[in-house]
Amino acid sequence: WIAAVARRGAALPGAEIDWPGGWPGALLLAAVTVALTVAARRVRRHPWTGAACVLLLLLAVVRPAPLTRVVTGWPPPGWKYAMCDVGQGDATVLATGAGAAVVIDTGPDPRLVDRCLRALGVTRIPLLLLTHFHADHVAGLPGVLRGRTVGAIETTNLQDPPDQSASVRREAAAARVPVVRAGPGEQRRIGGLSWQVLWPPPAPVPVADGPNDASVTLLVRSAGLTLLLPGDLEPPAQQALLRAYPALPPVDVLKVAHHGSAYQDPALLRAVRPRLALISCGQDNPYGHPAPRTVSSLRAGGATVLRTDRDGSIAVTGTGPGLRAIPTGP
Ligand SMILES: [Zn+2]
């Protein structure tokens, strides 16, 4: 029971406090303990002050989403799409209704994706889509499953890297969530959200860049918004995608492929000419993502570019001239 309480406590949003290590940390802990003991004695004489302190402490640790929304102003009301700041990786969210969303990828760290979904108030996930099995897209899975109901997990058809694919299967089985494969051309609708799976094609899968080129790619429509979400597709698959769908429409939002790497097919960018180009990448990542030339060619094409390493998590609201990307800030 004690272990269960500890686990639950450690999973709460306000459970992490950076504390200095070594002697300075120990001395600080001793000083804080003495101060708290003295304060507790005084507070005993003022029960209402004591109750207020307990309430404040509880709110600081539990951080309920409606409260953080009032304090931080994020996410904005009526958000349709959000790109979570999960460091070097991808985790993005399509709202389907109050407390519900389709989640695409989990980022590399369970704590970061859990924190973002909590801020967004997402408790029900009818579908979790994993574009491919690289760790920066699937290793955060336990954080998505934590305390949420997930209807199904949909994946690409290339089970590579095999160890990541196996651990997704294990975690899904432990949480009793069925795992299905995305079919090319598959179309789905949940409320005002609908999408089509454009990629990968049926087996044999393209192996030019292995898992990246097998990324499940979605064309999404959500209450007047059009979005293209191409995972980590590399130019060979981007070109094949454009050949398969030559009439790909212009989009409001592009999740820039492969964290804004230098390798983007210019013809695909011209075809979809996004109004908002959103890049998910980690601060000072060793890959140099996003590439300056990718950012400048997106801007030259008329896109407003935001990136999670500088802007934090990003939520998209509005349509037409009212389209907005609202970042949390770093
Ligand atoms: Zn990636």
Side-chain angles (χ1 to χ4, degrees), residues 9-21:
L12 290 170
E16 307 148 34
I17 297 173
D18 284 328
W19 200 270

Side-chain angles (χ1 to χ4, degrees), residues 179-244:
V179 178
V180 295
R181 288 192 190 181
E186 177 188 316
Q187 303 207 26
R188 293 212 198 194
R189 168 179 290 278
I190 301 176
L193 176 75
S194 64
W195 70 93
Q196 184 183 2
V197 174
L198 303 182
W199 195 263
V205 291
V207 287
D209 270 294
N212 284 354
D213 274 349
S215 291
V216 177
T217 297
L218 304 184
L219 181 65
V220 181
R221 292 179 206 275
S222 175
L225 275 188
T226 309
L227 307 93
L228 182 68
L229 314 177
D232 278 1
L233 284 194
E234 303 282 350
Q238 293 178 11
Q239 286 151 14
L241 175 73
L242 195 55
R243 278 197 300 276

Side-chain angles (χ1 to χ4, degrees), residues 43-65:
V43 161
R44 263 205 305 210
R45 279 176 248 140
H46 306 279
W48 285 110
T49 317
C53 287
V54 169
L55 184 65
L56 277 177
L57 185 66
L58 263 178
L59 288 176
V61 173
V62 178
R63 295 185 199 171

Side-chain angles (χ1 to χ4, degrees), residues 268-280:
L268 181 65
L269 294 186
R270 271 198 306 277
V272 297
R273 43 180 189 283
R275 297 173 63 200
L276 285 175
L278 307 183
I279 298 172
S280 187

Side-chain angles (χ1 to χ4, degrees), residues 32-312:
V32 168
T33 309
V34 170
L36 280 177
T37 313
V38 173
R41 283 201 182 155
R42 295 206 174 160
V43 161
R44 263 205 305 210
R45 279 176 248 140
H46 306 279
W48 285 110
T49 317
C53 287
V54 169
L55 184 65
L56 277 177
L57 185 66
L58 263 178
L59 288 176
V61 173
V62 178
R63 295 185 199 171
L67 182 76
T68 57
R69 198 169 295 191
V70 169
V71 173
T72 64
W74 197 91
W79 63 277
K80 304 277 182 359
Y81 177 66
M83 177 174 270
C84 290
D85 177 12
V86 289
Q88 182 64 20
D90 268 7
T92 71
V93 187
L94 289 159
T96 59
V102 169
V103 174
I104 298 151
D105 289 336
T106 71
D109 184 336
R111 281 176 318 138
L112 297 179
V113 68
D114 183 28
R115 186 187 300 175
C116 180
L117 292 176
R118 209 180 284 258
L120 292 168
V122 173
T123 55
R124 284 175 294 117
I125 300 172
L127 186 73
L128 167 62
L129 202 136
L130 302 175
T131 59
H132 63 294
F133 288 104
H134 278 153
D136 59 324
H137 296 253
V138 302
L141 177 57
V144 175
L145 296 173
R146 192 173 294 154
R148 298 184 181 86
T149 50
V150 176
I153 295 176
E154 194 169 272
T155 74
T156 184
N157 49 18
L158 181 67
Q159 309 298 309
D160 187 26
D163 56 334
Q164 292 294 339
S165 157
S167 75
V168 163
R169 237 154 265 282
R170 247 192 334 270
E171 284 156 20
R176 298 183 187 190
V177 178
V179 178
V180 295
R181 288 192 190 181
E186 177 188 316
Q187 303 207 26
R188 293 212 198 194
R189 168 179 290 278
I190 301 176
L193 176 75
S194 64
W195 70 93
Q196 184 183 2
V197 174
L198 303 182
W199 195 263
V205 291
V207 287
D209 270 294
N212 284 354
D213 274 349
S215 291
V216 177
T217 297
L218 304 184
L219 181 65
V220 181
R221 292 179 206 275
S222 175
L225 275 188
T226 309
L227 307 93
L228 182 68
L229 314 177
D232 278 1
L233 284 194
E234 303 282 350
Q238 293 178 11
Q239 286 151 14
L241 175 73
L242 195 55
R243 278 197 300 276
Y245 296 92
L248 214 51
V251 299
D252 296 298
V253 180
L254 172 69
K255 185 215 82 79
V256 182
H258 201 185
H259 319 288
S261 93
Y263 306 105
Q264 309 288 337
D265 179 47
L268 181 65
L269 294 186
R270 271 198 306 277
V272 297
R273 43 180 189 283
R275 297 173 63 200
L276 285 175
L278 307 183
I279 298 172
S280 187
C281 58
Q283 275 175 13
D284 304 319
N285 67 77
Y287 313 101
H289 294 158
R293 81 165 191 234
T294 294
V295 173
S296 56
S297 74
L298 286 162
R299 289 204 175 116
T304 301
V305 180
L306 281 88
R307 42 196 281 191
T308 57
D309 60 337
R310 294 194 182 159
D311 299 304

